[in-house]
Amino acid sequence: MMKCFERLVKDHIMSRLPATLDPLQFVYRPNRSTDDAIPAVLHRSLTHLENKNGYVRIFFIDFSSAFSIVIPQHLVKKLSPLRIDTPLCNWLLDFISDIPQTIRVGVNTLETIIMNTGVPQDCVLSPLLFSLMTHDCCATYNSNHIIKFADDTMVVGLISYDDDSAYREEVNQLVVWNMA
């Protein structure tokens, strides 16, 4: 029953989101998949490589335990500007806050703790909520692109004349963003 309700909530959230939201996110979006990310990166890279004195750097990132990095209060702050109404934001906050997590070793249960970060691993909403948590992680410089597919991310730096300073700054900002 709960999975059906989660699907309804997911569909409602998806219907409220602007079509232009995070065009470089290639999963958890209608008519998009990780297979679409590869041609997008190749096209940008090959087009740039046609220029003299140009090269491309790509930095691959895999967010380990991606669903665990979602901070409920931060997520709700990001949902309000996306036209997600306050009652739904409050329900989501209640839904993903104070989640009991059982710690087991083998067949023995050690303890149950309350988690204040992350979204449930087996929840229909979790992939979408992670995607919304990271939707504002975008490139600062026009020469860079941040391509996202689930918990994997690429920083694509289109570098000219051996000046990779914008690329390096982008990577540093992404590391800081991830730690915030």
Side-chain angles (χ1 to χ4, degrees):
M1 180 78 91
M2 190 62 186
K3 297 279 187 212
C4 291
F5 181 70
E6 289 174 31
R7 283 186 187 90
L8 290 172
V9 171
K10 178 184 169 202
D11 290 346
H12 176 72
I13 292 172
M14 295 289 291
S15 73
R16 307 287 298 165
L17 297 175
T20 57
L21 180 70
D22 202 358
L24 297 178
Q25 171 61 269
F26 286 91
V27 292
Y28 315 134
R29 307 265 322 262
N31 302 317
R32 290 204 127 168
S33 75
T34 55
D35 292 340
D36 298 320
I38 296 165
V41 170
L42 280 174
H43 175 73
R44 291 170 197 273
S45 299
L46 293 174
T47 301
H48 180 71
L49 291 173
E50 290 176 357
N51 300 325
K52 188 177 179 181
N53 298 317
Y55 66 97
V56 176
R57 280 197 173 167
I58 302 176
F59 181 63
F60 294 87
I61 302 164
D62 180 7
F63 290 103
S64 62
S65 304
F67 291 172
S68 298
I69 68 169
V70 175
I71 300 169
Q73 294 79 9
H74 292 185
L75 174 64
V76 170
K77 286 179 189 173
K78 292 181 179 198
L79 292 178
S80 295
L82 296 175
R83 301 183 347 201
I84 306 300
D85 53 5
T86 303
L88 181 53
C89 287
N90 290 338
W91 181 85
L92 284 169
L93 186 60
D94 287 341
F95 181 68
I96 61 176
S97 295
D98 301 326
I99 299 170
Q101 180 76 32
T102 303
I103 299 174
R104 293 188 174 111
V105 176
V107 295
N108 299 324
T109 299
L110 297 180
E111 66 179 306
T112 299
I113 59 173
I114 303 298
M115 301 297 294
N116 291 315
T117 61
V119 291
Q121 296 293 325
D122 60 346
C123 175
V124 171
L125 288 168
S126 294
L128 174 62
L129 296 178
F130 175 77
S131 177
L132 293 174
M133 181 74 185
T134 62
H135 87 275
D136 59 349
C137 178
C138 300
T140 305
Y141 299 94
N142 290 336
S143 61
N144 298 321
H145 304 280
I146 297 179
I147 312 289
K148 294 177 264 184
F149 34 99
D151 61 343
D152 296 311
T153 301
M154 284 190 288
V155 179
V156 179
L158 307 178
I159 300 165
S160 299
Y161 300 102
D162 289 327
D163 181 10
D164 66 352
S165 57
Y167 170 77
R168 289 181 179 276
E169 189 173 331
E170 199 79 64
V171 169
N172 287 335
Q173 287 178 6
L174 187 62
V175 169
V176 170
W177 182 92
N178 183 37
M179 297 173 112

